[in-house]
Amino acid sequence: MTESFRRDGEYEQYENPYQGAQQQHASSPVNPEWPPPPAQPPATPPQAPAHAQPAAFASGGAGSYGGDGGGTALLTPAPAEPGAPAPAPRRRTRGPLALLAAVAIVAAAIGGGTAYGIQELTGNDTVASSSTSTNVVPSSAKGTVAGVAKAVSPSIVEINATSNAGESTGSGVIITSDGEIITNNHVISGASTVKVSTSDGKTYTAKVVGTDSKKDLALIKLENASGLTPATLGNSDGVQVGDQVVAIGSPEGLTGTVTSGIVSALNRDVTVATDEGQSQSQGQGGGNGQWPFEFGGQQFNGDTGSSTTTYKAIQTDASLNPGNSGGALIDMNGNIIGINSAMYSATSDSSTAGSAGLGFSIPINTVKSDLATLRAGGTDS
């Protein structure tokens, strides 16, 4: 045995196990590891018989500290010189010290992660991202649609693009504080002017930095913008079917519309048009207000044309409508897990149209892997 235990009855019973020792030695501080030494050391150390078991720091008839009396032998230090003060008892390292050390290590690790998160969020040329699920939503509102909406809405914008083919309305996600925004390629493709409205009502002019029609992604940059709230990009590889999600965008020009649902399926093969002529049918002022796409060998919302691209998508039943394209699909911790890109409507008649609960989002990991290409001008330049 490496630890000693005392049996019931070896000490006088006190509610505080050191109460008796404190009463007997009120003038001496109490070391919680050992009973206190005698008030006056003996002039001559007592000589114990050779066959007797040594006592470990006995105190005024309080009994031995030796456990069960058998097994582990207790060693007594050599007697001190007459008149010399009693040696200070050695303090044994116990669990609390090890626990404190472990806590310090954990705190250091958390501190490092926090510093990394701050760097990610404040760097103008760095995307706020998370390889794990970061809690963007305050703990008091965690897991609620209202909490997600309040935390993430400042990072979602409305995009109005104008071209020779007409006007389109879509959405976008702010990824840097100085105004880099991710959206769909079909929202801004072929546009001569791009205007962006933030959640606080401010309007900016934006320029197209890069486009990737094969992934239906685009990067635009606001002019003279600063102090914006960047979104936290999550990890779409961790998304599971049945996860609750929130969608934020500007369907039919209704800025900051929030809907919710679940992840219905993963890795859906969605085919969309890459032709600029088709891109302007999304949102207000063009075509039937629907972005055409193919799924399962069938075409929806019109003809996709001869120039198409296919990508793996997250399927959701969160309500998506024209104008949601380029907006965010968000997990319940406030992380962006997808960019909404296609939605099915059972009819083109506006009097009976409505969400059918079939929406598709580009996984955010696809977006993150394409950012360097988009910042360099994209694959279409």
Side-chain angles (χ1 to χ4, degrees), residues 68-360:
D68 56 13
T72 304
L74 299 178
L75 302 180
T76 305
E81 294 297 328
R90 268 173 58 182
R91 185 181 182 88
R92 293 184 295 173
T93 302
R94 284 184 170 263
L97 292 180
L99 177 59
L100 289 175
V103 170
I105 293 173
V106 172
I110 293 174
T114 302
Y116 172 80
I118 293 173
Q119 179 183 8
E120 290 291 279
L121 286 170
T122 57
N124 286 343
D125 58 351
T126 305
V127 177
S129 61
S130 169
S131 59
T132 57
S133 188
T134 302
N135 288 325
V136 179
V137 181
S139 57
S140 60
K142 184 178 179 181
T144 66
V145 174
V148 172
K150 184 176 181 179
V152 184
S153 288
S155 302
I156 311 302
V157 301
E158 179 182 308
I159 299 174
N160 292 281
T162 303
S163 73
N164 294 332
E167 295 183 354
S168 67
T169 300
S171 306
V173 178
I174 300 172
I175 61 172
T176 63
S177 60
D178 62 348
E180 281 190 345
I181 294 173
I182 283 290
T183 187
N184 287 141
N185 175 64
H186 72 256
V187 172
I188 54 84
S189 180
S192 55
T193 61
V194 178
K195 298 290 185 180
V196 173
S197 300
T198 55
S199 63
D200 58 3
K202 294 181 179 179
T203 301
Y204 298 85
T205 297
K207 64 178 181 179
V208 177
V209 176
T211 60
D212 187 347
S213 61
K214 293 182 179 180
K215 294 184 175 68
D216 195 19
L217 292 173
L219 179 68
I220 63 176
K221 178 77 182 321
L222 304 185
E223 296 179 353
N224 304 317
S226 62
L228 303 179
T229 303
T232 298
L233 307 187
N235 178 15
S236 53
D237 288 345
V239 175
Q240 300 181 52
V241 173
D243 284 351
Q244 289 184 295
V245 289
V246 173
I248 303 179
S250 298
E252 304 295 350
L254 300 174
T255 306
T257 296
V258 177
T259 57
S260 65
I262 63 168
V263 172
S264 304
L266 299 172
N267 299 316
R268 293 297 201 196
D269 287 324
V270 174
T271 300
V272 297
T274 59
D275 182 38
E276 289 184 2
Q278 292 279 24
S279 66
Q280 294 299 323
S281 66
Q282 169 68 29
Q284 294 176 324
N288 61 5
Q290 300 290 334
W291 173 234
F293 70 97
E294 297 178 8
F295 172 71
Q298 300 182 57
Q299 290 187 342
F300 302 96
N301 306 337
D303 184 6
T304 58
S306 58
S307 179
T308 61
T309 185
T310 301
Y311 56 84
K312 300 288 186 180
I314 299 171
Q315 181 183 332
T316 179
D317 70 348
S319 180
L320 302 179
N321 291 286
N324 273 113
S325 284
L329 189 68
I330 313 158
D331 69 17
M332 299 308 290
N333 288 322
N335 300 282
I336 312 299
I337 59 170
I339 300 297
N340 299 323
S341 58
M343 62 289 303
Y344 166 71
S345 179
T347 178
S348 60
D349 183 353
S350 60
S351 64
T352 58
S355 173
L358 290 173
F360 301 92

